[in-house]
């Protein structure tokens, strides 16, 4: 696999491009703190394991060949993100701020993790990306193509977690600054809710 460094560079560039995953981590970190952002980063990175298995086992090709299956996952993921946004906005309307690192009430970290995993799993664009991106760096003449794809996917997941974690730490520091001001948590909560709904709408729209 002589192109491993080129693959890593391309993977990092794609991970840094604005998308539902890093925007969610950024928003969650600002609204609830760096711990919540790091948990969201771990959740999205864990969700990539699901897409890796689909790509390696060939199920991604089935999704690509059968448009109704793709659209079903697409709209399910969009609806789930919109639902998260609605729940967040309701919390803001009730005056319930998201958690700060000092222990204010907010979304439990375990729930944030599984929300992130599910939001990633319900994004079929990630699956199609894996099946389109990974084979470009596989050398068929070397054999063991599934193993090569698995190794590339694991490398992609590792670098994604590092980048997501950096975003979480940055957004957590920014959020901590604003949460020290009166009623800032409620406004950050509303911002997060609107961002989640916006991500859901974006996922539902055709490219």
């Amino acid at each position: 696999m002589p192109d491993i460094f080129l693959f890593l560079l391309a993977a990092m560039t794609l991970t840094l491009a604005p998308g539902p995953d890093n925007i969610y981590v950024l928003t969650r970190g600002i609204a609830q703190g760096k711990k919540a952002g790091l948990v969201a980063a771990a959740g999205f990175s864990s969700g990539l394991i699901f897409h890796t298995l689909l790509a390696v086992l060939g199920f991604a090709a089935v999704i690509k060949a059968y448009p109704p299956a793709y659209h079903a996952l697409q709209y399910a993921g969009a609806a789930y993100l919109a639902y998260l946004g609605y729940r967040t906005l309701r919390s803001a309307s009730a005056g319930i701020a998201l958690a700060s690192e000092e222990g204010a009430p907010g979304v439990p970290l375990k729930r944030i993790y599984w929300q992130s995993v599910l939001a990633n799993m319900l994004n079929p664009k990630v699956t199609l990306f894996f099946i389109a991106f990974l084979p470009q760096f596989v050398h068929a003449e070397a054999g063991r193509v599934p193993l090569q794809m698995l190794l590339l996917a694991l490398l992609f997941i590792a670098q994604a977690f590092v980048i997501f974690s950096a975003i979480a730490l940055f957004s957590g520091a920014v959020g901590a600054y604003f949460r020290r001001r009166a009623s800032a948590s409620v406004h950050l909560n509303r911002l997060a809710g609107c961002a989640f709904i916006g991500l859901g709408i974006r996922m539902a729209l055709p490219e």
Side-chain angles (χ1 to χ4, degrees):
M1 303 174 68
D3 298 327
I4 194 70
F5 292 107
L6 178 61
F7 169 82
L8 184 58
L9 179 62
M12 292 173 64
T13 303
L14 291 167
T15 303
L16 287 168
D21 41 18
N22 47 26
I23 293 178
Y24 182 96
V25 173
L26 177 68
T27 308
R28 184 62 76 185
I30 291 176
Q32 192 165 336
K34 67 180 180 181
K35 288 183 181 179
L38 288 171
V39 169
F44 274 100
S45 300
S46 299
L48 291 174
I49 298 174
F50 170 76
H51 299 287
T52 298
L53 293 176
L54 289 184
V56 172
L57 296 176
F59 288 111
V62 176
I63 295 176
K64 184 177 182 180
Y66 189 60
Y70 172 85
H71 292 303
L73 283 176
Q74 179 183 12
Y75 295 137
Y80 185 67
L81 284 173
Y83 168 74
L84 293 181
Y86 168 74
R87 288 287 301 272
T88 306
L89 286 175
R90 283 196 61 184
S91 296
S93 299
I96 303 176
L98 288 175
S100 69
E101 292 183 285
E102 288 71 32
V107 181
L109 296 181
K110 183 178 180 180
R111 185 183 302 174
I112 291 175
Y113 175 80
W114 288 111
Q115 284 178 350
S116 303
V117 171
L118 186 56
N120 186 275
M121 290 174 60
L122 290 176
N123 188 355
K125 296 179 183 179
V126 179
T127 302
L128 297 185
F129 163 77
F130 265 53
I131 199 174
F133 182 66
L134 297 183
Q136 297 183 44
F137 297 90
V138 168
H139 291 267
E141 63 275 9
R144 298 184 178 181
V145 171
L147 178 59
Q148 290 187 60
M149 290 186 63
L150 179 60
L151 292 175
L152 289 172
L154 292 176
L155 180 59
F156 187 95
I157 293 171
Q159 65 82 32
F161 177 71
V162 171
I163 291 177
F164 289 161
S165 297
I167 294 174
L169 293 174
F170 168 77
S171 60
V174 173
Y177 172 79
F178 286 104
R179 285 193 305 275
R180 286 195 292 265
R181 281 140 182 83
S183 73
S185 292
V186 174
H187 295 304
L188 290 173
N189 206 2
R190 290 172 179 166
L191 176 63
C194 292
F196 298 159
I197 293 175
L199 290 174
I201 294 174
R202 178 182 177 183
M203 183 180 292
L205 294 176
E207 291 293 345

